[in-house]
Amino acid sequence: MDFAFSEEQLAFREQVLRFAAREIAPRSAGHDLNSEFDHQAFRRLGEFGILGLHFPEEFGGSGADVVTTVLAGEALGEAGVDGGLLLSYGAHSFLCADTILVHGSDEQRRRYLPGLASGELIGCMGLTEPGAGSDVAALRTRAERRGDRYLLNGSKIFITNGPVADVAVVYATVDAAAKHAGISAFIVERGCKGFSAGPPLHKMGVRSSQTSELFFDDCEVPAENLLGGEGNGFLMALQTVEWDRSALIAPFVGSLSYALKKCARYARQRQQFGRAIAEFQAVRDKLATLKIFIEAARGLVYRVAWCKDQGRPLNHLEAAVAKLFVGDWSLEPANAAMTLLGGYGYCHEYELERIFRDGRLASIGGGTSEIQKLIISKLM
Amino acid sequence: MNYDLDASDKELLDRVTALLNDENLPDPAALQRVEASTVGSLLRAWLQRLGPAGYLAAPAGPGLTSARMLLAARSPWLALAVAIGPGLLADLLARHGSPEQQQRFLEPLRRGRLVAAVALSEPRAGSHPDHLATTARRDDGQLVLSGSKSTVSLAPLADVIAVVAESDGAQALFLIDGGQAGCVCGSPLDTLGYRQLCTCPLELRGVRVAPDRVMVPDGRPRGGLLQQVRAGWDAALADVACGTMRLCLEQAREAAAVERAGGKPPAGYQSVRFALAEMLTLSQTAELLALRAAWAGAAADRQAASLALCAKVFATENACRVADLALQIMAAAGYSRDNPVARAVRDSRLGLIAGHPGQVARQAIAGEVLQEVELS
Ligand SMILES: Cc1cc2nc3c(=O)[nH]c(=O)nc-3n(C[C@H](O)[C@H](O)[C@H](O)COP(=O)(O)OP(=O)(O)OC[C@H]3O[C@@H](n4cnc5c(N)ncnc54)[C@H](O)[C@@H]3O)c2cc1C
């Protein structure tokens, strides 16, 4: 066993930390407050090479392994980047772009990946529907083949990047009676006839990421935009959730490291009853709660990444364990961090209430904690 | 990065697995009557087989940690007894023992020929034993130990007891024979759990110790020896807590699958399945953290001490949670005194208290965090 990162990985992590702390994180508070997507920061992530980090070079990426990719995501969180931008990056790079990378034809990859890697194109993934959340197989959006195109009808909800996306990977069924086996994925471009996005939803957290409904009203999608073949969508969606449960949660673990540092600094400086609050046992206890959670979570998140790097197929159990742990066991440390700063912790300026709000999504998005428990109890 | 065990670690696990399947060895999990003599013969039988299997000579690291978890999943008390008795003394001897002491004690310990105990805690020096009341004075070329220790596990069974005491302004380890003149074991304490450890008070009434039986860790800050004993306990408790979680999960899973009147096994209910999922999640998380801590210690990683404390706190706290969940699933069967899960519920409480007690460990973890912020 060896839990060390390589020299190169650590050096890259440092670069990401510095870059993000200097250029991205200072923009987070304003965008979160105004619930605005930060186009400029997103493009900078692309220019820096984050968005397509794990894509092959020929598609505008760096060919990084999964562990490095997850490490970069964690570093973004640790630099203080808000959960909204991090979610937008995750939905873009993993839920949308990676699906094209893994299942797309050469033509599809050439057409979309370079733009997705640079940030010139923004991607989203539409799976959830008003009547099909946890029960993905119940999705109703239909895709009917009509000559050289498919006609899509239906709607999606809670779609990250929906209002700003140029490219959407959309799941629809070509045969509702076949349930899972009918589900297929399509690449739908912005401006495509019959395709529209609703206004951004007002959310508790991850506010700088725009979340909306997507509508398909006899939406015409060229047949060559079918992704991975008819009926393969369900398995493809399952594959993307591995990313959901490693690369998408790593930034939140990083955010808690950011919170821990902030709390520790505050505890040293803040004086009450004639001494630094760091001297009070109850305050130190909160720091320990954060530290223990972070270290426990890291072991799980990197296990999923490492398994993916080994090419071990569909690591559902490991992925579900990581997702469940981060989703459910992060509530106490996130709350502890906010409480440690007293009244300031409750104020936007000090960022901890944002981390708390953003992190609350971890047990809901990408499969709720209950669904993770279902998966674990089936596989164990 | 590599989450798989090395080949040599896997071989160690295979050898331990073979012992666990060996019907000629007494089943430690079946030990019902807890008398020092019964426990002693069972412990010796196992030590004599664990020695040749390489378990007692395995260096601290993921291999030993995995092997301990495996043993603890069958018998938490046996795994803990081996770790905090012979295992801990072997570790201290390897670090501080003279070549003669290593020859005399370390080799037999590693071969499984000696039962050992380590005596540290005192009635008035529990969580902060910086200043021990047990002292050694010089007399006629020898050292004479006097004082009392409050809770010494395995003392009534031990061939050798390592006593931590003050001597010439430093803390040192004194290796005395079990039953040596002046060394008096009190009756084993009526403990909540881990009664097989036969934990008892120890009176040292002028025990004479030859100088070649004293280990003085040189060049170390005061308290270093205590830290090492504590750290040894912490690692053992973390690993055993992980094994306990596996044991509870296994028992609960089996019980949940049994069909009940009404035609539905407990696992047919979502709340039972979800409880099992929570147990598995906590168990895997704790194991990974303990393995990472063991790796960090072996690799002399900067974070090793902090990770070890995190692993100890996380594993021991959650072993209690997992044992409680298992008891709930097993219901009346789990509530029976000799059921492994009922034992786990009682035993796992020790993890919160021994080594660095939870609150003390948390303070130390926070201390490291605060120091890092100061440095950065
Ligand atoms: C900010 C945000 C961003 C998102 N981004 C995307 C995105 O980009 N793309 C996308 O496709 N989706 C996205 N989602 C949707 C997300 O994946 C779903 O919200 C999630 O899967 C849960 O579905 P639901 O909201 O319909 O809840 P439901 O499935 O209706 O669940 C409601 C409650 O019932 C529980 N429940 C359901 N089934 C069971 C069961 N069998 N056993 C026990 N309990 C059960 C759930 O755990 C939950 O507590 C996003 C959601 C949010 C909030």
Side-chain angles (χ1 to χ4, degrees):
Chain A
M1 276 187 157
D2 179 1
F3 294 97
F5 297 106
S6 70
E7 294 285 321
E8 299 80 58
Q9 284 169 331
L10 290 174
F12 182 61
R13 175 181 176 279
E14 274 307 307
Q15 283 175 23
V16 175
L17 261 175
R18 272 202 302 273
F19 153 74
R22 197 178 53 237
E23 294 191 38
I24 312 289
R27 308 170 57 87
S28 279
H31 287 85
D32 174 70
L33 199 59
N34 299 320
S35 295
E36 278 171 3
F37 181 71
D38 189 348
H39 284 275
Q40 191 181 324
F42 198 78
R43 280 305 289 271
R44 282 297 291 135
L45 289 177
E47 284 158 14
F48 191 81
I50 298 277
L51 298 179
L53 193 58
H54 73 289
F55 303 175
E57 284 177 25
E58 57 180 309
F59 300 125
S62 308
D65 58 19
V66 184
V67 169
T68 307
T69 307
V70 170
L71 194 63
E74 191 193 3
L76 291 174
E78 204 174 334
V81 177
D82 67 290
L85 187 65
L86 294 171
L87 177 65
S88 285
Y89 143 66
H92 165 97
S93 290
F94 306 114
L95 306 187
C96 172
D98 187 72
T99 311
I100 298 175
L101 174 65
V102 176
H103 302 285
S105 64
D106 271 355
E107 164 58 25
Q108 288 168 335
R109 291 165 164 192
R110 269 197 299 277
R111 180 169 172 146
Y112 298 108
L113 291 179
L116 289 167
S118 67
E120 201 177 314
L121 296 176
I122 299 174
C124 73
M125 184 276 285
L127 178 64
T128 308
E129 299 185 358
S134 302
D135 184 8
V136 172
L139 65 77
R140 291 274 169 78
T141 300
R142 281 171 297 132
E144 276 175 69
R145 179 90 193 220
R146 294 279 173 84
D148 62 350
R149 43 201 54 222
Y150 285 88
L151 276 191
L152 265 58
N153 278 289
S155 70
K156 300 285 173 184
I157 193 163
F158 304 132
I159 307 308
T160 302
N161 296 344
V164 292
D166 304 289
V167 182
V169 168
V170 175
Y171 292 87
T173 180
V174 291
D175 179 1
K179 294 198 168 166
H180 306 87
I183 298 174
S184 313
F186 300 88
I187 303 173
V188 183
E189 292 184 27
R190 184 215 281 271
C192 179
K193 187 166 163 255
F195 173 43
S196 60
L201 300 168
H202 296 289
K203 308 188 298 296
M204 173 183 176
V206 289
R207 288 190 181 158
S208 77
S209 88
Q210 309 289 287
T211 316
S212 73
E213 289 179 87
L214 301 180
F215 303 104
F216 305 91
D217 186 8
D218 279 340
C219 166
E220 292 184 14
V221 179
E224 65 262 25
N225 281 20
L226 172 70
L227 192 55
E230 277 192 9
N232 293 329
F234 190 74
L235 277 180
M236 289 160 61
L238 282 187
Q239 228 161 13
T240 62
V241 299
E242 282 174 22
W243 282 110
D244 227 328
R245 289 155 204 177
S246 56
L248 263 96
I249 54 177
F252 174 48
V253 177
S255 296
L256 286 176
S257 294
Y258 178 74
L260 176 60
K261 279 194 201 119
K262 221 173 156 79
C263 286
R265 271 191 211 107
Y266 186 81
R268 294 188 77 98
Q269 284 157 9
R270 174 73 172 170
Q271 299 272 327
Q272 286 294 287
F273 297 95
R275 48 184 150 148
I277 60 168
E279 290 182 34
F280 297 117
Q281 191 176 357
V283 169
R284 294 166 79 107
D285 204 34
K286 290 185 175 56
L287 297 175
T289 297
L290 274 152
K291 174 73 176 167
I292 294 167
F293 169 80
I294 291 163
E295 295 305 340
R298 295 185 91 218
L300 295 172
V301 169
Y302 285 102
R303 178 172 66 163
V304 181
W306 180 80
C307 284
K308 248 179 119 56
D309 272 333
Q310 302 312 299
R312 297 190 183 172
L314 295 178
N315 313 300
H316 287 320
L317 183 69
E318 289 87 350
V321 165
K323 173 73 167 56
L324 174 62
F325 183 75
V326 172
D328 276 13
W329 276 268
S330 60
L331 298 176
E332 191 194 348
N335 191 41
M338 195 168 61
T339 311
L340 194 145
L341 264 73
Y344 297 113
Y346 201 66
C347 296
H348 184 260
E349 199 186 335
Y350 286 80
E351 301 175 292
L352 293 168
E353 61 84 38
R354 186 185 79 217
I355 292 172
F356 177 82
R357 285 188 284 108
D358 290 351
R360 192 61 191 78
L361 179 64
S363 62
I364 300 171
T368 64
S369 290
E370 287 73 22
I371 296 307
Q372 307 315 314
K373 287 183 189 169
L374 275 184
I375 296 170
I376 295 167
S377 61
K378 259 190 208 143
L379 295 179
M380 67 189 282
Chain B
M1 182 169 282
N2 184 1
Y3 272 71
D4 281 339
L5 284 172
D6 298 346
S8 60
D9 294 337
K10 283 186 187 152
E11 283 165 20
L12 175 63
L13 284 191
D14 288 344
R15 292 194 295 272
V16 175
T17 305
L19 292 184
L20 291 170
N21 294 330
D22 185 342
E23 289 176 358
N24 294 321
L25 267 166
D27 183 0
L31 186 69
Q32 302 287 351
R33 281 184 319 129
V34 182
E35 282 167 14
S37 58
T38 334
V39 179
S41 57
L42 201 146
L43 179 58
R44 276 174 211 284
W46 271 87
L47 285 173
Q48 281 166 21
R49 298 291 299 277
L50 287 167
Y55 183 97
L56 301 169
L64 176 61
T65 283
S66 307
R68 266 192 203 155
M69 290 176 190
L70 187 61
L71 187 58
R74 169 71 71 81
S75 171
W77 80 261
L78 179 64
L80 189 61
V82 173
I84 52 108
L88 181 54
L89 181 55
D91 188 39
L92 294 168
L93 277 159
R95 289 167 192 246
H96 308 300
S98 66
E100 296 73 36
Q101 287 167 338
Q102 293 187 350
Q103 172 90 21
R104 166 84 178 76
F105 295 105
L106 184 56
E107 288 311 311
L109 279 168
R110 286 181 168 167
R111 287 205 303 273
R113 300 283 163 82
L114 287 179
V115 174
V118 179
L120 170 65
S121 299
E122 299 190 352
R124 296 174 65 83
S127 295
H128 286 288
D130 282 349
H131 295 282
L132 298 171
T134 303
T135 52
R137 69 181 161 77
R138 292 192 180 276
D139 180 53
D140 198 16
Q142 290 204 312
L143 290 127
V144 183
L145 272 179
S146 301
S148 53
K149 297 289 180 182
S150 50
T151 45
V152 186
S153 293
L154 303 177
L157 329 173
D159 303 301
V160 54
I161 303 176
V163 179
V164 186
E166 298 277 344
S167 170
D168 297 333
Q171 286 173 343
L173 266 180
F174 297 78
L175 302 170
I176 64 174
D177 293 335
Q180 189 173 333
C183 168
V184 183
C185 287
S187 311
L189 301 167
D190 193 7
T191 49
L192 173 69
Y194 281 125
R195 297 163 69 92
Q196 302 90 337
L197 298 181
C198 302
T199 305
C200 68
L202 192 70
E203 286 292 323
L204 300 152
R205 301 175 184 156
V207 179
R208 300 190 75 81
V209 186
D212 64 357
R213 292 269 195 121
V214 183
M215 285 196 282
V216 187
D218 46 18
R220 292 188 175 270
R222 191 181 161 72
L225 189 56
L226 297 178
Q227 281 305 327
Q228 283 164 22
V229 173
R230 279 277 167 77
W233 266 87
D234 285 348
L237 288 164
D239 299 348
V240 171
C242 292
T244 305
M245 285 191 246
R246 269 194 219 173
L247 181 151
C248 290
L249 180 57
E250 212 38 60
Q251 294 279 330
R253 190 155 48 175
E254 270 176 30
V258 177
E259 201 87 18
R260 297 288 159 89
K264 206 169 171 180
Y269 296 94
Q270 197 171 58
S271 66
V272 171
R273 289 201 303 276
F274 280 19
L276 290 169
E278 179 181 339
M279 291 161 75
L280 181 100
T281 299
L282 290 172
S283 165
Q284 290 202 351
T285 309
E287 287 193 12
L288 278 180
L289 193 50
L291 287 164
R292 195 149 70 90
W295 164 83
D301 187 84
R302 191 175 55 84
Q303 286 238 48
S306 168
L307 277 177
L309 289 169
C310 289
K312 195 268 177 175
V313 173
F314 187 87
T316 55
E317 286 182 356
N318 286 299
C320 295
R321 168 85 184 143
V322 168
D324 284 344
L325 286 169
L327 182 68
Q328 190 65 26
I329 291 173
M330 298 185 64
Y335 197 68
S336 312
R337 193 175 169 77
D338 283 317
N339 184 282
V341 168
R343 280 194 195 162
V345 168
R346 295 194 304 272
D347 291 349
S348 54
R349 266 60 194 176
L350 178 69
L352 306 178
I353 298 162
H356 284 92
Q359 301 91 324
V360 177
R362 284 173 170 274
Q363 297 302 298
I365 293 167
E368 298 254 343
V369 169
L370 288 162
Q371 209 179 349
E372 254 180 49
V373 166
E374 189 180 31
L375 295 175
S376 64

